[in-house]
Amino acid sequence: GQQVQQSPSSLVLQEGENAELQCNFSSTATQLQWFYQSPGGSLVSLLSNPSGTKHTGRLTSTTVTKERRSSLHISSSQTTDSGTYLCAIDRGNNNRIFFGDGTQLVVKP
Amino acid sequence: EAAVTQSPRNKVAVTGGKVTLSCNQTNNHNNMYWYRQDTGHGLRLIHYSYGAGSTEKGDIPDGYKASRPSQENFSLILELATPSQTSVYFCASGDGLGGGDTQYFGPGTRLLVL
């Protein structure tokens, strides 16, 4: 079965609204990363957050390790936030990362 | 300056032909990875490497070979390309520290096999 499941699969917001993206994983993770993939395809790491809460700019990630879930909160969304957000876990035994299928976010002006 | 680069960025190949995708990293990371991404899906691991001279099979290695001749370079080789290998391929490097690996990605290569 799939190691990482993300929800929702897609999300449409008006500019200024907040977004809440979810990531659930089926095995213990020693590392969890959130990535942003632009509409052009480039991948950028946003946050590494294996446990607890982490902030960067308008992004907040909260990972509850024992419940095998993580969330990414985007506050005051902007049209430039549009793209796909990917969650990935590393179980730490051989440095292999497993990706979810992503949440496609569209922020309308 | 981009730390992980890929070439070519776009490639059109014919069925049965040989395709080599190249990746170079200047992060001095031990670990390197090749993924493919199909439309609407996340990335799937094809091959990876722990260092020069090492290659390991990922989750979908069939039809692909890999080569890691140096710390900086990691190639993905399709000996006999098939249309099912049409995809976007991403290379990444990782530091592999602390029991987890933060990975840094290249810009991707779009491969079309006709």
Side-chain angles (χ1 to χ4, degrees), chain A residues 41-53:
Chain A
S42 62
L43 273 161
V44 174
S45 178
L46 297 172
L47 284 167
S48 293
N49 186 28
S51 66
T53 299

PDB file of all heavy atoms in Angstrom, chain A residues 41-53:
ATOM      1  N   GLY A  41       7.190  22.810 -12.670  1.00  0.00           N
ATOM      2  CA  GLY A  41       7.749  21.508 -12.335  1.00  0.00           C
ATOM      3  C   GLY A  41       8.900  21.493 -11.368  1.00  0.00           C
ATOM      4  O   GLY A  41       9.260  20.435 -10.861  1.00  0.00           O
ATOM      5  N   SER A  42       9.475  22.632 -11.075  1.00  0.00           N
ATOM      6  CA  SER A  42      10.643  22.617 -10.185  1.00  0.00           C
ATOM      7  C   SER A  42      10.221  22.321  -8.751  1.00  0.00           C
ATOM      8  O   SER A  42       9.144  22.709  -8.309  1.00  0.00           O
ATOM      9  CB  SER A  42      11.380  23.945 -10.251  1.00  0.00           C
ATOM     10  OG  SER A  42      10.550  24.990  -9.808  1.00  0.00           O
ATOM     11  N   LEU A  43      11.097  21.616  -8.034  1.00  0.00           N
ATOM     12  CA  LEU A  43      10.819  21.171  -6.663  1.00  0.00           C
ATOM     13  C   LEU A  43      11.692  21.934  -5.675  1.00  0.00           C
ATOM     14  O   LEU A  43      12.904  22.021  -5.848  1.00  0.00           O
ATOM     15  CB  LEU A  43      11.142  19.691  -6.513  1.00  0.00           C
ATOM     16  CG  LEU A  43      10.058  18.705  -6.876  1.00  0.00           C
ATOM     17  CD1 LEU A  43      10.666  17.352  -7.128  1.00  0.00           C
ATOM     18  CD2 LEU A  43       9.038  18.621  -5.766  1.00  0.00           C
ATOM     19  N   VAL A  44      11.050  22.423  -4.625  1.00  0.00           N
ATOM     20  CA  VAL A  44      11.782  23.151  -3.598  1.00  0.00           C
ATOM     21  C   VAL A  44      11.371  22.601  -2.240  1.00  0.00           C
ATOM     22  O   VAL A  44      10.179  22.416  -1.980  1.00  0.00           O
ATOM     23  CB  VAL A  44      11.461  24.664  -3.667  1.00  0.00           C
ATOM     24  CG1 VAL A  44      12.117  25.394  -2.511  1.00  0.00           C
ATOM     25  CG2 VAL A  44      11.922  25.240  -4.979  1.00  0.00           C
ATOM     26  N   SER A  45      12.335  22.347  -1.390  1.00  0.00           N
ATOM     27  CA  SER A  45      12.024  21.915  -0.037  1.00  0.00           C
ATOM     28  C   SER A  45      11.545  23.106   0.777  1.00  0.00           C
ATOM     29  O   SER A  45      12.191  24.153   0.806  1.00  0.00           O
ATOM     30  CB  SER A  45      13.272  21.300   0.612  1.00  0.00           C
ATOM     31  OG  SER A  45      12.990  20.920   1.939  1.00  0.00           O
ATOM     32  N   LEU A  46      10.390  22.958   1.438  1.00  0.00           N
ATOM     33  CA  LEU A  46       9.824  24.032   2.254  1.00  0.00           C
ATOM     34  C   LEU A  46      10.238  23.904   3.706  1.00  0.00           C
ATOM     35  O   LEU A  46      10.669  24.866   4.328  1.00  0.00           O
ATOM     36  CB  LEU A  46       8.298  24.017   2.159  1.00  0.00           C
ATOM     37  CG  LEU A  46       7.677  24.286   0.790  1.00  0.00           C
ATOM     38  CD1 LEU A  46       6.180  24.039   0.838  1.00  0.00           C
ATOM     39  CD2 LEU A  46       7.976  25.703   0.332  1.00  0.00           C
ATOM     40  N   LEU A  47      10.017  22.717   4.239  1.00  0.00           N
ATOM     41  CA  LEU A  47      10.235  22.491   5.665  1.00  0.00           C
ATOM     42  C   LEU A  47      10.655  21.056   5.886  1.00  0.00           C
ATOM     43  O   LEU A  47      10.145  20.162   5.224  1.00  0.00           O
ATOM     44  CB  LEU A  47       8.933  22.701   6.458  1.00  0.00           C
ATOM     45  CG  LEU A  47       8.425  24.108   6.736  1.00  0.00           C
ATOM     46  CD1 LEU A  47       6.986  24.024   7.231  1.00  0.00           C
ATOM     47  CD2 LEU A  47       9.295  24.783   7.772  1.00  0.00           C
ATOM     48  N   SER A  48      11.560  20.842   6.829  1.00  0.00           N
ATOM     49  CA  SER A  48      11.817  19.507   7.345  1.00  0.00           C
ATOM     50  C   SER A  48      11.303  19.491   8.776  1.00  0.00           C
ATOM     51  O   SER A  48      11.726  20.312   9.595  1.00  0.00           O
ATOM     52  CB  SER A  48      13.312  19.200   7.325  1.00  0.00           C
ATOM     53  OG  SER A  48      13.767  19.109   6.008  1.00  0.00           O
ATOM     54  N   ASN A  49      10.367  18.607   9.063  1.00  0.00           N
ATOM     55  CA  ASN A  49       9.726  18.627  10.371  1.00  0.00           C
ATOM     56  C   ASN A  49       9.321  17.231  10.814  1.00  0.00           C
ATOM     57  O   ASN A  49       8.171  16.842  10.683  1.00  0.00           O
ATOM     58  CB  ASN A  49       8.488  19.536  10.325  1.00  0.00           C
ATOM     59  CG  ASN A  49       7.864  19.709  11.689  1.00  0.00           C
ATOM     60  OD1 ASN A  49       8.555  19.617  12.697  1.00  0.00           O
ATOM     61  ND2 ASN A  49       6.569  19.960  11.750  1.00  0.00           N
ATOM     62  N   PRO A  50      10.240  16.458  11.369  1.00  0.00           N
ATOM     63  CA  PRO A  50       9.892  15.107  11.797  1.00  0.00           C
ATOM     64  C   PRO A  50       9.011  15.046  13.034  1.00  0.00           C
ATOM     65  O   PRO A  50       8.345  14.039  13.267  1.00  0.00           O
ATOM     66  CB  PRO A  50      11.258  14.475  12.078  1.00  0.00           C
ATOM     67  CG  PRO A  50      12.156  15.631  12.359  1.00  0.00           C
ATOM     68  CD  PRO A  50      11.643  16.764  11.525  1.00  0.00           C
ATOM     69  N   SER A  51       8.977  16.124  13.823  1.00  0.00           N
ATOM     70  CA  SER A  51       8.090  16.137  14.988  1.00  0.00           C
ATOM     71  C   SER A  51       7.915  17.570  15.471  1.00  0.00           C
ATOM     72  O   SER A  51       8.773  18.429  15.225  1.00  0.00           O
ATOM     73  CB  SER A  51       8.646  15.277  16.118  1.00  0.00           C
ATOM     74  OG  SER A  51       9.836  15.832  16.610  1.00  0.00           O
ATOM     75  N   GLY A  52       6.769  17.819  16.114  1.00  0.00           N
ATOM     76  CA  GLY A  52       6.538  19.134  16.672  1.00  0.00           C
ATOM     77  C   GLY A  52       6.041  20.121  15.642  1.00  0.00           C
ATOM     78  O   GLY A  52       5.501  19.754  14.611  1.00  0.00           O
ATOM     79  N   THR A  53       6.225  21.391  15.978  1.00  0.00           N
ATOM     80  CA  THR A  53       5.736  22.474  15.136  1.00  0.00           C
ATOM     81  C   THR A  53       6.902  23.329  14.663  1.00  0.00           C
ATOM     82  O   THR A  53       7.803  23.649  15.446  1.00  0.00           O
ATOM     83  CB  THR A  53       4.719  23.335  15.907  1.00  0.00           C
ATOM     84  OG1 THR A  53       3.611  22.514  16.271  1.00  0.00           O
ATOM     85  CG2 THR A  53       4.231  24.494  15.056  1.00  0.00           C
TER      86      THR A  53
END
